C-alpha cells in the first residue's frame, strides 16, 4: 500500500460543493483478488460513495509481478537481503 500526504479535494455531493482533505491509497493486487478488495474497501470506508478505481497495469518487471502475485496468494515475500 502506498499512501499520499493529506491533500485538499473538492467535489460535488448532493448539489453542494464540498471540500475536505483526504489521503489517496494505492493498493496492488491481482485480477482475481480485485473484487474482494473493492468489496472490503467499500464496506470499511466511511463515505457513502468512496472513490475506488481499478487501473490496468500495462507493464511491470517479471520479478515485481511475481512478488505481487505471491504476496496476494499468502506466500511470504523474499527477504531483500536474500537477493
Amino acid at each position: 500500500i502506498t499512501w499520499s500526504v493529506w491533500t485538499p479535494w473538492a467535489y460535488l455531493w448532493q448539489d453542494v460543493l464540498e471540500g475536505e482533505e483526504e489521503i489517496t491509497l494505492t493498493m496492488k493486487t491481482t485480477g482475481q483478488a480485485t473484487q474482494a478488495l473493492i468489496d472490503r474497501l467499500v464496506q470499511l470506508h466511511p463515505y457513502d460513495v468512496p472513490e475506488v478505481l481499478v487501473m490496468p497495469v500495462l507493464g511491470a518487471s517479471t520479478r515485481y509481478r511475481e512478488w505481487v502475485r505471491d504476496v496476494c496468494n499468502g506466500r511470504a515475500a523474499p527477504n531483500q537481503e536474500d537477493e
Side-chain angles (χ1 to χ4, degrees), residues 43-65:
Q43 179 185 30
L44 293 173
H45 203 286
Y47 289 0
D48 292 336
V49 183
E51 178 182 6
V52 180
L53 305 173
V54 176
M55 299 180 186
V57 175
L58 301 178
S61 69
T62 301
R63 290 182 72 193
Y64 184 77
R65 282 193 324 265

Side-chain angles (χ1 to χ4, degrees), residues 13-80:
W13 181 250
Q14 299 178 344
D15 296 325
V16 176
L17 184 61
E18 300 281 351
E20 295 188 31
E21 287 191 340
E22 298 179 345
I23 293 175
T24 300
L25 298 178
T26 302
M27 299 177 163
K28 297 98 174 170
T29 191
T30 62
Q32 290 179 329
T34 299
Q35 192 57 55
L37 177 59
I38 291 170
D39 293 345
R40 186 68 173 143
L41 290 171
V42 169
Q43 179 185 30
L44 293 173
H45 203 286
Y47 289 0
D48 292 336
V49 183
E51 178 182 6
V52 180
L53 305 173
V54 176
M55 299 180 186
V57 175
L58 301 178
S61 69
T62 301
R63 290 182 72 193
Y64 184 77
R65 282 193 324 265
E66 290 170 351
W67 174 79
V68 170
R69 184 194 61 229
D70 289 347
V71 169
C72 289
N73 287 326
R75 293 190 284 272
N79 186 329
Q80 290 181 351

